[in-house]
Amino acid sequence: MGTLKVDNIQTESGSAIITNGAIPESTLRSSGVGMVKLFSSTSSSGVANFDIDSTYINSTYDNYKIIAGYTQATDNQRARIRFFVGGTIKEVDYSWENGAGTSSTYEYDAYDATYIQVGGAGGNNQSGLSENNTITFDLTNVNSTTVATRIHGYHYGAATNANTVGRFFQGGQDVNSFNDVVNGIRIYMGGGNIIMQNFVIYGLVK
């Protein structure tokens, strides 16, 4: 059996479809299918705010898939999200709800919240425990001026007693703030630093 080796595959027009095993982002976008990996990060250091700015969240994509694995420096704190609008953090005009799969009750702030809560209170690796957390969520409608930007997702991680708990959350702009174009997000803890151990963001092809 033979092996065919080529540096690139092109269309009849000469545009590259595959070069050195990689499909160009522009080709994926024009195909109208799939997701494009935009950025990934790993770290063992804590920061007050983990920001993804307009370098990655912009007019190229309207919807995104985000996966973030983290630990926290301070015990009994929750992860939160805010949006960038015009390159500046928006500190008002949010709404959210958040509940655990093991509970019949949930938490919420239905109007004019100052952040979006995206999980439950977690531990900070006490007594050698691996109290890590993962949130995975969709970020939608970032460029729309008629539909509010929203997030929909899940949190799974360690509670303050080291038990693991799964939660679901959703939130976004208040309905009267739908005309704000979002060009970035901030993930942070209610208190203390967040250690973003692994993070990845994908753009969903239009």
Side-chain angles (χ1 to χ4, degrees):
M1 181 178 290
T3 300
L4 175 65
K5 295 183 179 181
V6 297
D7 292 327
N8 60 71
I9 299 175
Q10 300 179 349
T11 65
E12 291 183 9
S13 66
S15 299
I17 298 174
I18 300 175
T19 301
N20 291 329
I23 302 174
E25 183 178 330
S26 59
T27 301
L28 286 171
R29 287 203 307 268
S30 63
S31 71
V33 295
M35 295 189 296
V36 177
K37 184 178 180 180
L38 305 177
F39 173 73
S40 62
S41 173
T42 60
S43 179
S44 58
S45 299
V47 293
N49 304 304
F50 185 84
D51 293 345
I52 299 298
D53 62 17
S54 59
T55 302
Y56 306 105
I57 298 176
N58 50 51
S59 60
T60 303
Y61 302 96
D62 294 329
N63 304 299
Y64 298 82
K65 180 75 174 181
I66 295 171
I67 302 168
Y70 65 93
T71 55
Q72 56 201 71
T74 304
D75 196 43
N76 199 30
Q77 297 296 323
R78 304 163 184 257
R80 299 173 175 179
I81 286 178
R82 283 175 168 165
F83 296 153
F84 284 86
V85 174
T88 302
I89 280 292
K90 191 77 178 285
E91 297 184 348
V92 293
D93 299 330
Y94 299 103
S95 56
W96 56 267
E97 58 184 7
N98 185 323
T102 53
S103 174
S104 59
T105 62
Y106 65 95
E107 302 166 288
Y108 67 93
D109 193 331
Y111 181 72
D112 205 26
T114 56
Y115 56 84
I116 304 168
Q117 183 179 298
V118 291
N124 65 335
N125 291 321
Q126 299 178 80
S127 303
L129 299 171
S130 180
E131 295 182 332
N132 48 26
N133 301 271
T134 300
I135 53 175
T136 176
F137 61 95
D138 298 322
L139 173 68
T140 62
N141 312 314
V142 298
N143 295 303
S144 177
T145 57
T146 58
V147 181
T149 299
R150 295 171 176 140
I151 62 173
H152 316 267
Y154 299 92
H155 164 261
Y156 193 73
T160 53
N161 61 1
N163 291 340
T164 47
V165 178
R167 303 180 72 93
F168 60 88
F169 58 83
Q170 54 190 350
Q173 298 168 320
D174 282 335
V175 292
N176 60 353
S177 300
F178 61 85
N179 55 353
D180 282 341
V181 171
V182 169
N183 58 3
I185 64 166
R186 168 171 291 174
I187 305 174
Y188 67 106
M189 304 305 301
N193 284 350
I194 185 170
I195 302 97
M196 192 62 74
Q197 295 175 313
N198 51 78
F199 177 91
V200 62
I201 179 170
Y202 299 88
L204 276 67
V205 174
K206 294 182 182 181

